[in-house]
Amino acid sequence: MSRDRQIEQRIVILGGGSAGWITANAMLQRWGDKGADITLIESPDIGTVGVGEGSTPRLKFFFDGLGIQESEWMPKCNATYKVGISFANWSTVPGFDRYFHPFASEIDRHTKTAFFFNTYARRQGVDVHAHPDRFFLAARLAHNRQGPKPNENFPFFVEYGYHFDAGLLGEYLKERATAQGVKHVQAKVVEVNQAEDGDIASLLTDTNEVIEGDFFVDCSGFRGTLIQGTLDVPFHSFAENLFNDAAVVLPTDAEETIGSQTISTAMKYGWAWQIPLTHRIGNGYVYSSGFCSADEAETELRGALGLLDSDTEARHLKMKVGRVDQHWHRNCLAVGLSQGFIEPLEATALNLVCNTVYDFIDTVDAHGFSGEGREAFNETVNLGFENVRDYIVAHYIMNSRDDTDYWRQNGSNSNVSERLQQILTIWKSAQNLSQEMERLKIPSSYTPMSWYCLLAGYGFYPATRPVPADHPAVTRVDMATIDDFVRRCSLNFRSQNEQLHFQ
Ligand SMILES: Cc1cc2nc3c(=O)[nH]c(=O)nc-3n(C[C@H](O)[C@H](O)[C@H](O)COP(=O)(O)OP(=O)(O)OC[C@H]3O[C@@H](n4cnc5c(N)ncnc54)[C@H](O)[C@@H]3O)c2cc1C
């Protein structure tokens, strides 16, 4: 890869949501002193989607890569630390009505093997403890509302993501990028001009400005104005196995003791998120409009939040779930909702945004803008989308609710990818999931630990049978020792509230 390559290109980014400003900051950092001239156009009239307030650890790597301190950006975005996600009421299996999907920690290596071992035994019908939560430090931190940063005397790393106000994050990234040289045009693009060969040549705004460019980045949101609208790149819907296509959003007051997890609670026709920020809790219900109306969804969410008599206004959104076939086509790269979206159950959208942008930058650093490396790049991004989709679909396949048609149809949906089918078969046949995934070369963006947590978390086990007390599966893992170990480790972490007090 040639990091020395000059990038003498006029790069025009259409859209100033999180995707647009993440792209602008990333390209500026890598190419700003190599001749790249970056302009971002956004329409104040259209606005941004304004949601998307939970991240994976990928966002931390993004900030670290730009050299931005948490003490600098977090207070400005009312951000909090996130150690994982709880899934409540998705499973009806006794003892499994809730589980936690942890971000990884260095401590896990002391407990993970015991968890894997117990799930193996339990899948063979041995009655041992095989729910993930007691095995993972992050689950304990979430339960105690502790932050992920250990005290100095405990040098073990816990991965974490963030919760943040999406509007404020966009503002922060905008200020940073414009201060460092990104040109910012506030106008609506009303026409896209193409060159004879079909490449995009320029954008015409409603203020009659013609903005020419060599390369264009489509961050225009669900519209996909350039990639789908002008360049006609086909959109591949995921609706056959991800039914949710709408959301309703309602804020509530912040809690005094701020949590460090996202809570995802299954509802009648989808699920509701609860995201703790410093100034409010973000709540939203993601549902399928094929099964309930916007009014019904709003009423159900208001009921769950105790807001039936409140005049707090709800915001309704539509979602287009799927991906474009090519994320880089001609002289255009699509990033963010314009390239595709998988519903936000695991808060993966900005993860995919960062992966797309940095993979693109690396490809261009290696091959220039000639198009060499484009096919491989598109395949990688598509695989990233499909891997996330499979993991999300697994939640719906695993659910054991039968209270509405929505859950019944999700549970019996046979539209699953071959990869997911293989993973489920390995699990059901009580084989070693990590080894088999490696042996069969099943690609996944999720680690075996995440898969074990999901499948075990739903209580996806056969009925247990009486087991002799001296069976190795009963004697090998001492849960009291594990509980004590995880509890002692957790003593080395302060509360989320304390960790948010930056000096
Ligand atoms: C219900 C819901 C929940 C979500 N939760 C999460 C989450 O927890 N975690 C996560 O990572 N992601 C989440 N997402 C996704 C996340 O919100 C988006 O990935 C992220 O905000 C990026 O959006 P964007 O910048 O692509 O699009 P947008 O925010 O829609 O921005 C589009 C931009 O394009 C501009 N624009 C469009 N057309 C024109 C035009 N003709 N001329 C000029 N400007 C134009 C607009 O003005 C705007 O600036 C969620 C999404 C939804 C719908």
Side-chain angles (χ1 to χ4, degrees):
M1 183 186 311
S2 166
R3 289 262 177 121
D4 301 330
R5 185 185 292 281
Q6 281 303 103
I7 306 289
E8 278 156 4
Q9 296 270 315
R10 293 165 301 169
I11 298 172
V12 179
I13 300 170
L14 173 60
S18 310
W21 289 114
I22 285 176
T23 304
N25 276 279
M27 288 187 171
L28 186 72
Q29 187 207 22
R30 288 280 280 270
W31 293 340
D33 57 1
K34 292 185 184 162
D37 174 70
I38 305 172
T39 302
L40 185 146
I41 313 173
E42 67 169 323
S43 160
D45 299 337
I46 295 177
T48 64
V49 68
V51 281
E53 310 206 310
S55 88
T56 65
R58 183 68 182 82
L59 197 65
K60 173 169 164 46
F61 304 142
F62 169 71
F63 279 113
D64 288 351
L66 293 180
I68 302 174
Q69 302 296 317
E70 289 172 343
S71 54
E72 150 77 12
W73 78 269
M74 286 182 71
K76 291 184 178 155
C77 301
N78 296 337
T80 63
Y81 294 110
K82 168 180 172 184
V83 295
I85 307 176
S86 268
F87 294 89
N89 299 345
W90 286 70
S91 171
T92 55
V93 178
F96 293 87
D97 58 333
R98 189 183 180 108
Y99 85 95
F100 183 74
H101 179 193
F103 291 141
S105 89
E106 269 182 282
I107 293 300
D108 299 342
R109 66 169 181 259
H110 299 288
T111 54
K112 203 166 61 178
T113 314
F115 172 54
F116 288 5
F117 181 79
N118 273 18
T119 67
Y120 174 67
R122 184 71 178 256
R123 281 179 283 148
Q124 293 180 320
V126 181
D127 191 9
V128 289
H129 186 86
H131 186 292
D133 288 10
R134 282 167 67 188
F135 293 91
F136 292 101
L137 174 61
R140 172 73 67 134
L141 298 180
H143 178 265
N144 294 345
R145 298 181 177 230
Q146 288 167 288
K149 297 175 93 83
N151 297 338
E152 254 175 58
N153 62 328
F154 192 72
F156 300 100
F157 188 72
V158 176
E159 282 200 359
Y160 59 88
Y162 306 102
H163 300 123
F164 48 85
D165 181 309
L168 296 177
L169 180 72
E171 281 301 314
Y172 174 79
L173 292 173
K174 177 197 308 187
E175 271 173 33
R176 188 177 182 280
T178 49
Q180 296 188 7
V182 170
K183 291 178 203 137
H184 184 204
V185 177
Q186 296 198 59
K188 183 174 174 184
V189 167
V190 289
E191 207 175 294
V192 181
N193 302 310
Q194 286 173 276
E196 267 182 19
D197 63 0
D199 276 6
I200 298 172
S202 64
L203 308 180
L204 172 69
T205 70
D206 58 354
T207 49
N208 262 334
E209 199 179 343
V210 176
I211 298 171
E212 293 182 341
D214 302 306
F215 195 85
F216 292 80
V217 188
D218 186 348
C219 296
S220 64
F222 283 125
R223 287 169 188 78
T225 302
L226 306 181
I227 197 86
Q228 296 175 56
T230 305
L231 296 182
D232 262 340
V233 171
F235 185 82
H236 177 79
S237 169
F238 290 160
E240 63 179 18
N241 47 22
L242 289 175
F243 301 164
N244 296 342
D245 60 358
V248 50
V249 181
L250 264 172
T252 50
D253 292 340
E255 288 173 308
E256 225 165 86
T257 311
I258 302 171
S260 51
Q261 61 178 323
T262 299
I263 299 176
S264 150
T265 307
M267 307 282 277
K268 274 160 75 180
Y269 310 104
W271 59 276
W273 76 74
Q274 222 183 319
I275 289 186
L277 307 181
T278 57
H279 65 311
R280 65 168 158 81
I281 296 181
N283 307 283
Y285 180 4
V286 176
Y287 63 95
S288 168
S289 64
F291 291 84
C292 86
S293 69
D295 277 353
E296 277 174 288
E298 182 175 332
T299 305
E300 197 189 343
L301 181 64
R302 282 187 183 279
L305 297 173
L307 292 180
L308 279 171
D309 300 324
S310 151
D311 52 11
T312 306
E313 222 172 285
R315 210 154 70 79
H316 288 266
L317 299 154
K318 292 298 283 178
M319 310 184 308
K320 188 164 132 193
V321 175
R323 59 157 177 81
V324 291
D325 279 351
Q326 289 121 347
H327 306 262
W328 177 6
H329 182 60
R330 293 190 167 276
N331 62 339
C332 178
L333 171 74
V335 183
L337 299 174
S338 64
Q339 72 179 134
F341 180 55
I342 299 166
E343 64 137 284
L345 186 59
E346 293 275 353
T348 42
L350 295 185
N351 195 328
L352 291 166
V353 163
C354 291
N355 289 349
T356 302
V357 173
Y358 284 98
D359 278 0
F360 175 76
I361 290 174
D362 287 344
T363 305
V364 169
D365 276 344
H367 305 290
F369 282 92
S370 65
E372 202 185 333
R374 183 162 53 193
E375 207 174 309
F377 165 83
N378 282 326
E379 271 172 30
T380 304
V381 181
N382 280 340
L383 186 61
F385 265 79
E386 271 151 37
N387 281 337
V388 171
R389 180 204 54 195
D390 287 349
Y391 193 76
I392 307 287
V393 169
H395 283 280
Y396 290 97
I397 301 284
M398 291 299 99
N399 105 82
S400 49
R401 291 176 64 125
D402 64 355
D403 51 326
T404 59
D405 262 356
Y406 170 87
W407 289 110
R408 285 189 290 272
Q409 285 190 31
N410 265 300
S412 62
N413 191 356
S414 55
N415 280 320
V416 293
S417 73
E418 203 186 319
R419 281 186 295 265
L420 178 53
Q421 202 59 64
Q422 280 177 307
I423 290 171
L424 298 179
T425 305
I426 296 167
W427 180 266
K428 280 189 220 161
S429 53
Q431 297 176 71
N432 182 320
L433 193 58
S434 341
Q435 266 173 23
E436 283 301 291
M437 282 177 74
E438 209 177 308
R439 188 179 68 81
L440 296 170
K441 297 195 173 32
I442 303 175
S444 177
S445 311
Y446 286 90
T447 60
M449 180 187 92
S450 286
W451 280 105
Y452 272 99
C453 284
L454 190 156
L455 296 160
Y458 283 100
F460 195 48
Y461 294 117
T464 47
R465 54 186 158 73
V467 188
D470 60 349
H471 189 286
V474 180
T475 54
R476 199 162 132 182
V477 177
D478 175 13
M479 285 312 295
T481 307
I482 288 181
D483 285 343
D484 190 48
F485 173 72
V486 173
R487 185 188 62 80
R488 282 168 190 264
C489 289
S490 75
L491 296 176
N492 296 288
F493 295 78
R494 289 168 302 142
S495 69
Q496 164 91 284
N497 283 38
E498 285 171 289
Q499 294 197 17
L500 291 173
H501 283 129
F502 297 104
Q503 299 307 320

